[in-house]
Amino acid sequence: MVQTREISKTFYDQKRGEVHAVERVSIEARPGSIFGILGVNGAGKTTLLRMLSTVIQPTHGSASVNGFDVVTDSEKVRASIGFLSNSTALYGRLSATEMLAYFGSLYGLSGALLKERLAFVTEKLQLYEFKDRLCDKLSTGQKQRVSIARAILHDPPVLFFDEPTAGLDVVTSQTIMEFIEEQRDHGRTVVFSTHVMSEAERLCDEIAIIHDGSICGHGSLQALLDNTSEKRLEAAFLKIIGYEAKVTA
Amino acid sequence: MRPAFLIFMKEAREMLRDKRVVNAAFVAPVFMIIMFIFLFGFIQEKVSKKPDIKLAVVKDESNPLVKELQKNKSLNLTFVESVAAGRKLRDDAKVGAVVEFGPDFTDSLARGDATVTAYYDSTEPLSSIAMSVVRGLVAEMNKESVKAVLAEHRIPEKLAEPIEFVQKDEQKAEGIGGSMIIGLIPYLIVLWAFYGGFSTVSDLVAGEKERGTMETLLIAPIKRSHVALGKFFALSVICLTSSLTTLVGVMVIGLIKLDITKAMFPTGLHVSFLSIVELLGILIPLVVLFASLLLAVSAYAKNVREAQTYLTLVSFVVLMPAIFSQFIGFTGAQKEMWVRFTPILNSAVAIKEALLSNLEIVPFLITAGVSLVPGLVMLRVAVWLFSREQILTRV
């Protein structure tokens, strides 16, 4: 379970002054479902996920992940989550196995349990052929599979995906979406941020539309379509964020 | 502390696989000390052989002083028509100095008012040497002249030189301490304690921010202080080993036993156990200071490029006292309290004393403390920077 109550994040920028990246956002993502955060670039999706993963702290409001408060129980929150972004962020001079073992150890796995989990993710994500190769030498798709393996290595009950398919080819994107669906089917709580409407339509049980840091639409896909009298999520999204098409003669 | 250890091990593994780090932190120090030893050995070999001194002598080829000059086998005389012609040869490095005799030199010599002028260039070592050789010969001739006068008047010749000067070298240094480059070794040890870490630190934190791996690490269930400490320990080990590699370079040269280096280490190459203990006692606090400073700067920087700019500026601050340590011996201030309390400079001075086996306990403790206290303060700053989300998550 992931819950936020009126959570906000304000940055101070020397040029722009106070920047309200996220403002009073309240959401609830349940186990066994995919909660989508839909918004344009710079809407506040990543900031919200960074707060939920305790990389940064909220300036207002509260949030809990798997029953742990993101500020007061941040280590327990981090132990409960797996995080995957479009940036594969691997250590280039470690092999895939070395990197997974390193993160497994940081997540408190050791001995037989670590070996067992390594064997599981290696099998699950088909890492055999390149598991001993340095991460710098892997293809983008292979890197993404190692990233996924890292995210689920410690078997977390909550998974965050921050635009995981951005910049990836269609096959790799498909693999990731299948993986996300599978995690939902295993009863995990999945929070998924994207600006790709088709992905949100396919994956999300519930969608929150975020714009300029605030939630301006929230509900199931069907509820969003009904409320806006639109047939496609893209049109509903544009209507909700107040975008008006400019037609030039 | 297990997470800090895991991070340390991972960083160490990555560093050892990074050719840039291996070359900069381990190969370069050995290469540099070997280069220095060969260079100094070459110079010393040249200096120890009596240099072939070339003089231009204007016109007069038959006066008594010219005959004395010609008797000296280390001198090579070229006779020229004028001072201008001699100067031309000197400026072309064909001769070291130009010697001109006053008018009617031989007659003047008999009268006791002869003049010899040596035209030389004090900025050129060989020119100065040529001038001093001429001056020595003139002084010798003057002395002989005085002795002749004293003998004529039956006065003991010894009165021409009533004082006998006896010089005794009482240096006790042994092993590396007795080396010609003993002043250079502490400088290189200090220098590489900094540059060993310099070679990798921008990648260690700023680089991780830039590549996005830092955020992945921050999502792991570990304390940020452990992340900082793990990286600090890895950096410290690189700084320390890089620094000690200078001594390894000296040992390698010693094992090769080349003629050119024998003269450089007249008292051998060994370092006493106590010297090594003292050396580590000075070096470890210094490494704490350097590693924490480097880590704090890299943590503060947004990206690798910014980190390298800041680190270059910091390196000047570190280099200045290290370079000054080369010249402190000329000032006679090496044992003064202000030197003992000046970070980096005091370490270089104390390392030299440790290698010479004359480091006393109080200066040793002051030196270690002066490095360790600001080092620990800087480490606290680095750990604090790791807890600042504005610092650690900006790119």
Side-chain angles (χ1 to χ4, degrees), chain A residues 220-236:
Chain A
S220 65
L221 173 63
Q222 195 54 53
L224 290 172
L225 296 176
D226 290 346
N227 290 345
T228 52
S229 308
E230 296 288 350
K231 288 180 181 166
R232 287 176 52 241
L233 179 60
E234 186 173 317

mmCIF file of all heavy atoms in Angstrom, chain A residues 220-236:
data_model
loop_
_atom_site.group_PDB
_atom_site.id
_atom_site.type_symbol
_atom_site.label_atom_id
_atom_site.label_comp_id
_atom_site.label_asym_id
_atom_site.label_seq_id
_atom_site.Cartn_x
_atom_site.Cartn_y
_atom_site.Cartn_z
ATOM 1 N N SER A 220 -10.417 5.659 -12.264
ATOM 2 C CA SER A 220 -10.103 4.590 -13.212
ATOM 3 C C SER A 220 -10.120 5.165 -14.625
ATOM 4 O O SER A 220 -10.617 6.280 -14.839
ATOM 5 C CB SER A 220 -11.141 3.474 -13.089
ATOM 6 O OG SER A 220 -12.395 3.987 -13.497
ATOM 7 N N LEU A 221 -9.612 4.391 -15.570
ATOM 8 C CA LEU A 221 -9.585 4.856 -16.959
ATOM 9 C C LEU A 221 -11.000 5.201 -17.422
ATOM 10 O O LEU A 221 -11.247 6.267 -18.006
ATOM 11 C CB LEU A 221 -8.973 3.767 -17.844
ATOM 12 C CG LEU A 221 -9.010 4.011 -19.342
ATOM 13 C CD1 LEU A 221 -8.203 5.243 -19.715
ATOM 14 C CD2 LEU A 221 -8.495 2.786 -20.100
ATOM 15 N N GLN A 222 -11.962 4.294 -17.111
ATOM 16 C CA GLN A 222 -13.336 4.506 -17.554
ATOM 17 C C GLN A 222 -13.928 5.761 -16.906
ATOM 18 O O GLN A 222 -14.613 6.554 -17.571
ATOM 19 C CB GLN A 222 -14.181 3.269 -17.200
ATOM 20 C CG GLN A 222 -15.514 3.214 -17.925
ATOM 21 C CD GLN A 222 -15.337 3.327 -19.452
ATOM 22 O OE1 GLN A 222 -14.573 2.581 -20.051
ATOM 23 N NE2 GLN A 222 -16.033 4.288 -20.066
ATOM 24 N N ALA A 223 -13.614 5.982 -15.621
ATOM 25 C CA ALA A 223 -14.153 7.152 -14.924
ATOM 26 C C ALA A 223 -13.620 8.440 -15.548
ATOM 27 O O ALA A 223 -14.368 9.417 -15.722
ATOM 28 C CB ALA A 223 -13.770 7.095 -13.443
ATOM 29 N N LEU A 224 -12.334 8.449 -15.918
ATOM 30 C CA LEU A 224 -11.746 9.644 -16.540
ATOM 31 C C LEU A 224 -12.390 9.921 -17.899
ATOM 32 O O LEU A 224 -12.686 11.068 -18.245
ATOM 33 C CB LEU A 224 -10.231 9.479 -16.719
ATOM 34 C CG LEU A 224 -9.396 9.491 -15.438
ATOM 35 C CD1 LEU A 224 -7.946 9.117 -15.743
ATOM 36 C CD2 LEU A 224 -9.439 10.861 -14.765
ATOM 37 N N LEU A 225 -12.635 8.842 -18.664
ATOM 38 C CA LEU A 225 -13.267 9.005 -19.974
ATOM 39 C C LEU A 225 -14.709 9.503 -19.813
ATOM 40 O O LEU A 225 -15.151 10.411 -20.525
ATOM 41 C CB LEU A 225 -13.248 7.685 -20.747
ATOM 42 C CG LEU A 225 -11.852 7.141 -21.120
ATOM 43 C CD1 LEU A 225 -11.975 5.783 -21.800
ATOM 44 C CD2 LEU A 225 -11.105 8.118 -22.026
ATOM 45 N N ASP A 226 -15.419 8.927 -18.846
ATOM 46 C CA ASP A 226 -16.814 9.324 -18.617
ATOM 47 C C ASP A 226 -16.906 10.785 -18.176
ATOM 48 O O ASP A 226 -17.744 11.552 -18.659
ATOM 49 C CB ASP A 226 -17.455 8.433 -17.544
ATOM 50 C CG ASP A 226 -17.656 7.011 -18.052
ATOM 51 O OD1 ASP A 226 -17.549 6.804 -19.286
ATOM 52 O OD2 ASP A 226 -17.870 6.111 -17.224
ATOM 53 N N ASN A 227 -16.016 11.165 -17.256
ATOM 54 C CA ASN A 227 -16.067 12.539 -16.719
ATOM 55 C C ASN A 227 -15.760 13.591 -17.774
ATOM 56 O O ASN A 227 -16.206 14.735 -17.672
ATOM 57 C CB ASN A 227 -15.073 12.700 -15.555
ATOM 58 C CG ASN A 227 -15.523 11.923 -14.337
ATOM 59 O OD1 ASN A 227 -16.682 11.507 -14.250
ATOM 60 N ND2 ASN A 227 -14.609 11.705 -13.396
ATOM 61 N N THR A 228 -14.981 13.204 -18.760
ATOM 62 C CA THR A 228 -14.601 14.194 -19.779
ATOM 63 C C THR A 228 -15.382 13.992 -21.088
ATOM 64 O O THR A 228 -15.188 14.751 -22.041
ATOM 65 C CB THR A 228 -13.098 14.064 -20.112
ATOM 66 O OG1 THR A 228 -12.811 12.703 -20.424
ATOM 67 C CG2 THR A 228 -12.241 14.529 -18.961
ATOM 68 N N SER A 229 -16.213 12.989 -21.113
ATOM 69 C CA SER A 229 -16.989 12.635 -22.320
ATOM 70 C C SER A 229 -16.066 12.407 -23.521
ATOM 71 O O SER A 229 -16.358 12.841 -24.646
ATOM 72 C CB SER A 229 -18.008 13.737 -22.657
ATOM 73 O OG SER A 229 -18.795 14.042 -21.557
ATOM 74 N N GLU A 230 -14.942 11.792 -23.270
ATOM 75 C CA GLU A 230 -13.997 11.490 -24.357
ATOM 76 C C GLU A 230 -13.910 9.975 -24.526
ATOM 77 O O GLU A 230 -14.240 9.212 -23.607
ATOM 78 C CB GLU A 230 -12.604 12.062 -24.044
ATOM 79 C CG GLU A 230 -12.552 13.572 -23.964
ATOM 80 C CD GLU A 230 -12.684 14.258 -25.321
ATOM 81 O OE1 GLU A 230 -12.625 13.562 -26.360
ATOM 82 O OE2 GLU A 230 -12.873 15.489 -25.332
ATOM 83 N N LYS A 231 -13.411 9.562 -25.703
ATOM 84 C CA LYS A 231 -13.320 8.123 -25.947
ATOM 85 C C LYS A 231 -11.900 7.604 -25.762
ATOM 86 O O LYS A 231 -11.690 6.399 -25.639
ATOM 87 C CB LYS A 231 -13.803 7.813 -27.372
ATOM 88 C CG LYS A 231 -15.306 7.962 -27.499
ATOM 89 C CD LYS A 231 -15.761 7.647 -28.893
ATOM 90 C CE LYS A 231 -17.270 7.839 -28.983
ATOM 91 N NZ LYS A 231 -17.728 7.874 -30.362
ATOM 92 N N ARG A 232 -10.970 8.542 -25.809
ATOM 93 C CA ARG A 232 -9.567 8.111 -25.667
ATOM 94 C C ARG A 232 -8.904 8.875 -24.518
ATOM 95 O O ARG A 232 -9.245 10.041 -24.260
ATOM 96 C CB ARG A 232 -8.810 8.346 -26.970
ATOM 97 C CG ARG A 232 -9.225 7.339 -28.064
ATOM 98 C CD ARG A 232 -8.549 7.609 -29.387
ATOM 99 N NE ARG A 232 -7.107 7.725 -29.225
ATOM 100 C CZ ARG A 232 -6.434 8.832 -29.527
ATOM 101 N NH1 ARG A 232 -7.071 9.895 -29.984
ATOM 102 N NH2 ARG A 232 -5.137 8.872 -29.380
ATOM 103 N N LEU A 233 -7.952 8.196 -23.875
ATOM 104 C CA LEU A 233 -7.300 8.804 -22.707
ATOM 105 C C LEU A 233 -6.553 10.090 -23.091
ATOM 106 O O LEU A 233 -6.551 11.055 -22.336
ATOM 107 C CB LEU A 233 -6.326 7.795 -22.065
ATOM 108 C CG LEU A 233 -5.564 8.293 -20.850
ATOM 109 C CD1 LEU A 233 -6.510 8.702 -19.717
ATOM 110 C CD2 LEU A 233 -4.587 7.239 -20.336
ATOM 111 N N GLU A 234 -5.970 10.086 -24.278
ATOM 112 C CA GLU A 234 -5.196 11.263 -24.695
ATOM 113 C C GLU A 234 -6.075 12.510 -24.719
ATOM 114 O O GLU A 234 -5.700 13.572 -24.203
ATOM 115 C CB GLU A 234 -4.587 11.016 -26.071
ATOM 116 C CG GLU A 234 -3.656 12.120 -26.500
ATOM 117 C CD GLU A 234 -2.928 11.781 -27.798
ATOM 118 O OE1 GLU A 234 -2.480 10.639 -27.942
ATOM 119 O OE2 GLU A 234 -2.830 12.666 -28.650
ATOM 120 N N ALA A 235 -7.267 12.373 -25.300
ATOM 121 C CA ALA A 235 -8.187 13.513 -25.378
ATOM 122 C C ALA A 235 -8.652 13.911 -23.981
ATOM 123 O O ALA A 235 -8.731 15.107 -23.648
ATOM 124 C CB ALA A 235 -9.369 13.147 -26.257
ATOM 125 N N ALA A 236 -8.923 12.899 -23.158
ATOM 126 C CA ALA A 236 -9.368 13.182 -21.787
ATOM 127 C C ALA A 236 -8.265 13.899 -21.019
ATOM 128 O O ALA A 236 -8.512 14.886 -20.301
ATOM 129 C CB ALA A 236 -9.728 11.874 -21.088
#
